[in-house]
Amino acid sequence: MSGQSITDRITAAQHSVTGSAVSKTVCKATTHEVMGPKKKHLDYLIHCTNEMNVNIPQLADSLFERTTNTSWVVVFKSLITTHHLMVYGNERFVQYLASRNTLFNLSNFLDKSGLQGYDMSTFIRRYSRYLNEKAVSYRQVAFDFTKVKRGVDGVMRTMNTEKLLKTIPIIQNQMDALLDFNVNANELTNGVINAAFMLLFKDSIRLFAAYNEGIINLLEKYFDMKKTQCKEGLDIYKKFLTRMTRISEFLKVAEQVGIDRGDIPDLSQAPSSLLEALEQHLASLEGKKVKDSTAASRASTLSNAVSSLASTGMSFTKVDEREKQAALEEEQARLKALKEQRLKELSKRPSFATTDTSPISTTGGTISTAPAIDLFSTPSCSNGAVKMESDLFDLQSTFQPSMQSGSTGLPVATAWAGYSTPQGPPQQSAGGLQVDFESVFGAKATGSNSLNSDDIAGGILKPTLAGCNQPSGQQPEKLVSDDLDSSLANLVGNLGIGNGTMKK
């Protein structure tokens, strides 16, 4: 089966509706796709564990709920996601798991859907047992063995005898649960089990490093212990030798599946003479006859054993540091890629310009820089007529009287609140409506040194229809007037001219 199933999509959609981003991401990380959980989903869940407003019990319950699925893929990926958060997430996630009485109850899990389901179900049962044991270990010692400080001043090296004898068996139980996964190279056949094996491999390195430092501390204190403590210590050391053999086999599988040899630590066996010296010391405390051995010989044997185990610890530490450095470089590369992507997005972002759909936009989508129109200004044209740019004067053509001259002789109201007798259709020039204020106020003299009769009254109330670019033969001073006052002014002007002629 490959790809997300219909069930996966429906489940994710349900969480989208309810607004639970955490549950939705858990579903996406544990789909039916036969591959490990995607890194982006795991990273998001890790981020959630570091957010104080995220409900950790809800996150854990979402993972537990996915383990109730009948598909081995979903259950296995749920365990992998949980393990990933235990390793890389905030410690409060592990603390919550450790506080629960039960975690994964998968000891009887079996997927009968196919042959692969039968095979993978075995590893699911083993894997869930290890995760349970990992949480129990944290509950018992209040820290994670894979994350403790190591070295001469580390947690396991500075622990007192009583606490040390109680703590090492807890590490042994966790190590046993890990090694019980017991997978062979030819069984790592899909991305799901491979993802689980990689997490187990990293845990084995860190866990055995802590285990190894505990044994070094035990050996350094052994010859100063009481009889009962020596007996416990000897039993612990014998089990350690057994587990060292098993961890060597586990690391061989890691090498066979392609893990870099530099990422696999070297194990150095302690000399066999050490075990003999430990047994003889315990026998002497019990009053048994033993070979005579000097303190110098015991010290030399112990020193050789500690040096051998210390070299093993250094090998584990180097591998761990190499992994941390690789993780740091990977994170730096990811941040660099995000930065470059952000810069590209900013460079492609459009400038703050209006579009053609905006009422204030101009052709091309840029903001117009033309000066605002002043309705009360009187700019001049080349022919002396004033061109009004405001739309206010363009409204007159809209309010022309609808009555024709043949219908009635009564004056009709114009758009300028005046009255005029019905005339023919108004003359419309190509230049638009114009007003000649010079003619209105008589500032421009005519050739006969007399006022134009059309400028006495009609020009004030009625704009002209003459354009700025008139033919040279046309008189710009001549106004076309339609209102009653203009007609009366024309009549008075004609009478004045006539009287003047008669007086002459």
Side-chain angles (χ1 to χ4, degrees):
M1 181 184 296
S2 62
Q4 294 187 25
S5 66
I6 298 297
T7 304
D8 295 331
R9 298 180 185 275
I10 293 176
T11 306
Q14 289 174 345
H15 291 298
S16 297
V17 172
T18 58
S20 178
V22 173
S23 299
K24 179 181 178 181
T25 307
V26 168
C27 291
K28 286 184 172 294
T30 58
T31 60
H32 288 78
E33 296 175 281
V34 185
M35 58 181 292
K38 293 183 179 179
K39 186 177 183 301
K40 63 179 181 180
H41 298 142
L42 295 176
D43 289 345
Y44 177 79
L45 293 176
I46 291 174
H47 172 73
C48 289
T49 64
N50 293 312
E51 292 293 329
M52 297 306 297
N53 59 340
V54 173
N55 191 332
I56 295 297
Q58 179 187 357
L59 171 58
D61 289 342
S62 298
L63 291 167
F64 295 148
E65 181 182 357
R66 296 296 282 173
T67 60
T68 61
N69 199 285
T70 57
S71 170
W72 70 268
V73 181
V74 175
V75 176
F76 217 153
K77 291 171 75 171
S78 302
L79 297 176
I80 293 170
T81 303
T82 304
H83 191 183
H84 193 89
L85 295 182
M86 294 176 76
V87 174
Y88 299 105
N90 192 284
E91 189 173 5
R92 64 196 187 110
F93 181 77
V94 184
Q95 290 173 348
Y96 173 73
L97 297 183
S99 67
R100 293 176 61 103
N101 294 327
T102 58
L103 290 181
F104 302 106
N105 186 16
L106 298 172
S107 57
N108 297 321
F109 177 81
L110 182 62
D111 185 348
K112 301 179 181 179
S113 60
L115 181 60
Q116 191 177 31
Y118 276 95
D119 294 338
M120 293 298 108
S121 295
T122 300
F123 295 107
I124 287 175
R125 294 192 294 268
R126 297 172 181 174
Y127 193 29
S128 64
R129 178 176 175 270
Y130 168 71
L131 295 181
N132 288 339
E133 193 63 40
K134 185 178 176 72
V136 170
S137 297
Y138 189 94
R139 183 192 307 164
Q140 292 175 325
V141 297
F143 59 82
D144 189 343
F145 289 114
T146 64
K147 298 180 182 180
V148 295
K149 181 181 179 181
R150 296 198 293 269
V152 178
D153 57 344
V155 174
M156 299 304 298
R157 291 289 295 271
T158 58
M159 196 172 289
N160 59 52
T161 303
E162 291 77 10
K163 189 173 182 181
L164 184 66
L165 293 175
K166 293 179 180 179
T167 303
I168 293 180
I170 298 174
I171 301 181
Q172 288 177 338
N173 292 336
Q174 187 175 340
M175 180 62 70
D176 288 343
L178 189 152
L179 297 175
D180 284 344
F181 192 73
N182 196 24
V183 65
N184 297 321
N186 57 0
E187 294 173 315
L188 299 173
T189 57
N190 59 74
V192 180
I193 192 173
N194 290 348
F197 180 77
M198 284 302 300
L199 290 173
L200 290 172
F201 168 72
K202 294 177 180 179
D203 264 16
S204 67
I205 293 175
R206 297 166 182 165
L207 184 61
F208 192 83
Y211 191 13
N212 186 71
E213 290 192 348
I215 295 298
I216 293 175
N217 190 12
L218 176 69
L219 294 176
E220 291 175 341
K221 292 180 169 60
Y222 182 81
F223 294 99
D224 296 326
M225 291 180 182
K226 300 175 182 179
K227 182 175 66 174
T228 55
Q229 292 176 335
C230 285
K231 189 174 182 179
E232 290 180 25
L234 180 61
D235 183 60
I236 288 174
Y237 181 72
K238 289 180 178 179
K239 291 180 178 178
F240 172 76
L241 296 178
T242 303
R243 283 156 184 77
M244 180 173 280
T245 303
R246 294 187 64 189
I247 192 67
S248 299
E249 296 173 355
F250 184 86
L251 296 179
K252 286 181 182 179
V253 176
E255 186 176 358
Q256 292 172 2
V257 296
I259 295 178
D260 190 85
R261 188 67 185 85
D263 295 333
I264 301 176
D266 296 323
L267 298 181
S268 299
Q269 294 280 355
S272 57
S273 59
L274 175 62
L275 178 60
E276 183 180 356
L278 297 177
E279 291 175 340
Q280 287 181 0
H281 177 70
L282 177 60
S284 65
L285 292 177
E286 292 175 345
K288 298 179 181 178
K289 293 183 179 181
V290 295
K291 297 180 180 179
D292 293 334
S293 59
T294 62
S297 63
R298 286 203 311 264
S300 176
T301 302
L302 180 60
S303 177
N304 292 335
V306 170
S307 298
S308 177
L309 294 177
S311 64
T312 298
M314 290 296 297
S315 178
F316 277 90
T317 301
K318 289 179 180 179
V319 170
D320 198 15
E321 290 177 352
R322 190 181 300 113
E323 181 189 351
K324 291 179 180 179
Q325 182 64 27
L328 180 61
E329 293 175 356
E330 180 183 354
E331 183 67 16
Q332 291 176 345
R334 187 179 70 86
L335 292 176
K336 183 179 179 181
L338 290 175
K339 182 178 179 181
E340 293 176 353
Q341 181 181 0
R342 180 61 177 168
L343 291 175
K344 290 181 180 179
E345 292 176 355
L346 291 176
S347 63
K348 293 180 180 180
R349 180 173 295 179
S351 59
F352 292 97
T354 57
T355 60
D356 289 340
T357 58
S358 173
I360 62 171
S361 64
T362 60
T363 304
T366 59
I367 297 177
S368 173
T369 58
I373 298 173
D374 189 355
L375 297 178
F376 301 98
S377 62
T378 58
S380 60
C381 295
S382 60
N383 60 355
V386 180
K387 181 178 181 180
M388 305 302 293
E389 303 247 352
S390 172
D391 292 339
L392 181 61
F393 292 95
D394 295 338
L395 295 175
Q396 182 175 357
S397 59
T398 307
F399 292 97
Q400 290 295 334
S402 60
M403 300 178 65
Q404 301 298 326
S405 59
S407 61
T408 178
L410 296 176
V412 294
T414 66
W416 298 95
Y419 290 85
S420 65
T421 56
Q423 302 291 338
Q427 297 179 359
Q428 181 72 29
S429 65
L433 297 177
Q434 305 294 333
V435 177
D436 190 350
F437 287 100
E438 293 178 354
S439 300
V440 172
F441 295 103
K444 188 171 183 179
T446 60
S448 59
N449 296 327
S450 63
L451 294 173
N452 192 318
S453 61
D454 291 339
D455 294 337
I456 295 176
I460 297 177
L461 299 177
K462 183 66 177 178
T464 65
L465 297 177
C468 289
N469 300 323
Q470 291 178 344
S472 59
Q474 184 177 357
Q475 298 179 2
E477 297 86 352
K478 185 66 177 175
L479 300 177
V480 180
S481 179
D482 291 333
D483 54 38
L484 180 59
D485 294 337
S486 179
S487 300
L488 293 175
N490 290 336
L491 178 59
V492 173
N494 291 336
L495 291 176
I497 295 173
N499 292 336
T501 302
M502 290 176 63
K503 290 179 181 180
K504 291 181 180 180

